[in-house]
Amino acid sequence: MAKYPEYVKYAASVVPSERQIKWQETEFYSFIHFGINTFTDSEWGNGNEDPELFNPEKLDCRQWAKLCKLAGMKGMILTAKHHDGFCLWPSAYTDHCVRSSRWKDGKGDVVAECAAACKEFGLKFGIYVSPWDRHEPTYGTGEAYNKFFKNQLREVLTAYGELFCVWFDGACGEGKNGKKQEYDWEGYYKLIRELQPNATINISGPDVRWCGNEAGVCRQSEWSVVPYFHSNSELIAAQSQKDVSKPPKKINPTALDLGSRKQIKKCSKLIWYPAEVDVSIRKGWFYHPSEDYSVKPLSKLMEIYYNSVGSNACFLLNIPPTPEGKIHEKDIETLLSMGAQLEIDFNENLADGSVITDNRHLDEKHTGQMALSEYPDSYWHSGDDPEGAELILDLGDEYDIDKIVLGENIRTGQQIEKFKLYAQLGGKWKKVGGGTVIGYKKICRFDEIRVRYFKLVIEKARCFATLSKFEAY
């Protein structure tokens, strides 16, 4: 192992938490932007809205959940409170909530209905709670507001069953003369860890980072191991840690390279901080009638899917319900088409029951064949000399194939830095794919070919290489 620089060995040793692994396995899930903005035709409310405006007479969270399931999603995140401060649950700490609305005579609870629908349809449930609150009088006063926000957090963290995610965007749109609130991020995180230990804290949090844009664009090399300063919480903690290298003056979340050897070389602290790609099915995040004919087409959504889920990230797709409380028919059309397309694209893994041989492996428990196993503890491991390692997949017969899905065993870190994929055509190996990062999942697409053998070559890795997925479609 001496040939690897210390910083590379360090990067190779950084691994995800169990909650981060479970989140990554969710892959594709929905954002539901719904609230008082839905009734005022706005994106950012000002906090002065009359709660009586909120009246989704045909609210149908079961429809939302069923559609998400049919679209191929595994979870749903609801905007329980947006920047306007209006709460979709009957909060004991403010009147700016469903209790003050006409809906169900003030006895309704959207969060409860959404949680129940997700449970019924086998979806994971998560919540978005905005720390910025344009209604609450204590906002901008410091500790008083932080106490108020933690009280509200406690309500949503304890009343609706297990959450897979708590989503913070950290927005604060107050101007120079507006209220400035110092958020107690560490206190918020501590409460979430205490009450929902399995939930990831996303975006303004220590578990999952924003990919850097809302256009559904993922990096070609989406590293999960990055310098600590890309995380909010770590930045706060680092201020008192003199042994941690200083972050650059300007941290750019949109930079094309966050985790290559060049980027991590001079950083003394690295973290596992995978990417989430968030995008709305429409132009806006909340429902606007004027956007009924600007729903993204299936082709665009599939492109985003392959460039996120297929590039070591997760895909969070926003679907905004109408003021009636239902998903619009235009969105339904696209979502059902997407579910059908995913079903077609990944109908049958033709590598099931196949044979994989390798030119090196750690031991008999980690041979190439183990890459086909469904058990998380079974995977191929190259041993200490990964560069030049080869895996040959023999499908047993020729099939028409246009996709190979690869995945590292991320429980042992992210190791592979460069790979090539070949197909045997006419007795010769022809390159059909390749790249840098594999990570949790890499989908290699190419023009359909009739083929029996594929070869994966590991050209560069950190300290070793692993593979727990080698699928063909």
Side-chain angles (χ1 to χ4, degrees):
M1 297 285 279
K3 65 178 178 175
Y4 301 107
E6 285 303 318
Y7 77 93
V8 172
K9 286 198 262 186
Y10 172 38
S13 73
V14 178
V15 296
S17 65
E18 199 57 35
R19 72 173 72 87
Q20 286 173 314
I21 291 169
K22 291 282 184 280
W23 164 82
Q24 190 100 49
E25 289 169 350
T26 311
E27 296 188 0
F28 179 34
Y29 43 100
S30 70
F31 221 165
I32 302 285
H33 271 66
F34 186 64
I36 202 79
N37 292 345
T38 310
F39 297 83
T40 59
D41 198 16
S42 62
E43 284 287 297
W44 278 16
N46 58 27
N48 298 325
E49 301 84 3
D50 182 350
E52 290 225 346
L53 289 171
F54 186 84
N55 191 24
E57 293 177 333
K58 295 181 182 175
L59 182 80
D60 190 355
C61 294
R62 291 184 74 256
Q63 182 224 24
W64 307 353
K66 186 177 181 181
L67 264 173
C68 290
K69 190 79 173 175
L70 290 171
M73 299 181 186
K74 294 178 188 169
M76 178 194 292
I77 299 171
L78 173 69
T79 55
K81 182 181 92 158
H82 207 254
H83 312 322
D84 46 74
F86 184 82
C87 301
L88 295 183
W89 76 97
S91 176
Y93 300 95
T94 182
D95 290 331
H96 203 51
C97 66
V98 287
R99 194 181 56 251
S100 304
S101 71
R102 287 179 293 157
W103 178 59
K104 293 193 173 180
D105 296 325
K107 295 182 175 67
D109 185 337
V110 181
V111 184
E113 291 195 27
C114 209
C118 285
K119 191 173 183 181
E120 180 184 344
F121 287 94
L123 296 174
K124 299 177 182 182
F125 181 54
I127 54 156
Y128 166 115
V129 200
S130 171
W132 183 28
D133 190 323
R134 304 183 78 177
H135 175 83
E136 172 54 33
T138 63
Y139 186 86
T141 64
E143 184 50 39
Y145 177 74
N146 281 324
K147 185 178 177 184
F148 164 84
F149 185 66
K150 283 182 216 169
N151 282 334
Q152 288 201 320
L153 257 185
R154 187 176 287 275
E155 288 181 316
V156 291
L157 294 172
T158 55
Y160 303 105
E162 180 153 356
L163 304 174
F164 87 98
C165 163
V166 178
W167 211 96
F168 289 138
D169 64 5
C172 179
E174 303 281 358
K176 285 183 180 177
N177 301 318
K179 298 173 180 177
K180 175 73 174 151
Q181 172 68 33
E182 291 287 336
Y183 298 134
D184 179 17
W185 288 117
E186 296 296 338
Y188 305 163
Y189 302 158
K190 188 179 174 188
L191 193 64
I192 295 164
R193 291 286 192 248
E194 176 196 330
L195 300 173
Q196 291 284 348
N198 299 321
T200 54
I201 307 170
N202 293 24
I203 313 311
S204 282
D207 296 317
V208 175
R209 67 181 162 82
W210 181 47
C211 72
N213 63 79
E214 293 177 349
V217 180
C218 206
R219 294 169 183 80
Q220 281 190 319
S221 301
E222 197 63 85
W223 283 97
S224 295
V225 177
V226 298
Y228 76 93
F229 47 72
H230 288 290
S231 166
N232 267 23
S233 64
E234 294 290 348
L235 241 186
I236 296 163
Q239 288 170 355
S240 61
Q241 293 176 1
K242 292 175 184 174
D243 59 326
V244 173
S245 49
K246 282 185 180 177
K249 284 179 180 172
K250 192 172 183 186
I251 296 165
N252 182 8
T254 66
L256 289 176
D257 177 13
L258 299 184
S260 72
R261 290 192 185 199
K262 183 183 175 185
Q263 295 303 316
I264 63 172
K265 189 172 185 178
K266 292 178 181 174
C267 185
S268 63
K269 186 173 184 184
L270 303 174
I271 55 171
W272 189 277
Y273 204 36
E276 177 183 77
V277 173
D278 63 323
V279 71
S280 185
I281 198 167
R282 293 162 172 250
K283 286 181 180 174
W285 291 86
F286 285 91
Y287 176 81
H288 308 290
S290 61
E291 294 177 358
D292 285 349
Y293 293 91
S294 62
V295 175
K296 287 182 176 63
L298 172 64
S299 57
K300 180 66 178 172
L301 293 183
M302 289 304 298
E303 182 191 326
I304 294 169
Y305 180 91
Y306 278 112
N307 291 331
S308 55
V309 176
S311 293
N312 192 40
C314 282
F315 180 14
L316 175 58
L317 177 63
N318 181 63
I319 314 159
T322 67
E324 279 191 328
K326 300 184 86 167
I327 308 294
H328 192 274
E329 59 186 27
K330 291 287 180 189
D331 306 62
I332 292 174
E333 204 176 293
T334 304
L335 289 167
L336 292 179
S337 300
M338 188 167 186
Q341 190 63 55
L342 287 170
E343 191 70 37
I344 291 166
D345 287 5
F346 299 98
N347 178 35
E348 183 187 3
N349 174 16
L350 296 165
D352 268 351
S354 297
V355 172
I356 293 185
T357 52
D358 63 65
N359 68 348
R360 70 193 70 166
H361 50 258
L362 177 66
D363 54 38
E364 290 310 305
K365 290 182 179 177
H366 294 92
T367 63
Q369 192 64 24
M370 294 297 110
L372 298 179
S373 171
E374 290 181 6
Y375 297 104
D377 293 337
S378 299
Y379 55 93
W380 169 74
H381 189 302
S382 67
D384 294 346
D385 188 21
E387 289 170 15
E390 294 181 3
L391 295 169
I392 294 178
L393 171 68
D394 177 1
L395 298 171
D397 203 348
E398 290 192 340
Y399 294 98
D400 294 325
I401 305 233
D402 63 2
K403 287 178 292 294
I404 289 289
V405 179
L406 303 169
E408 291 182 64
N409 176 51
I410 60 171
R411 281 182 166 83
T412 57
Q414 189 177 7
Q415 308 292 341
I416 296 168
E417 294 179 309
K418 193 179 180 187
F419 71 95
K420 281 187 182 151
L421 181 69
Y422 299 87
Q424 195 177 83
L425 301 169
K428 293 182 180 177
W429 290 113
K430 182 190 174 188
K431 186 186 168 196
V432 291
T436 52
V437 168
I438 290 180
Y440 169 74
K441 182 177 272 193
K442 176 71 177 178
I443 303 175
C444 302
R445 291 186 292 163
F446 40 86
D447 291 336
E448 190 174 283
I449 48 176
R450 193 154 186 83
V451 62
R452 173 174 174 172
Y453 296 101
F454 284 95
K455 178 168 71 174
L456 176 69
V457 179
I458 307 301
E459 296 199 316
K460 194 175 181 186
R462 294 202 156 160
C463 288
F464 53 87
T466 68
L467 207 70
S468 59
K469 280 188 198 77
F470 200 148
E471 301 167 0
Y473 298 93

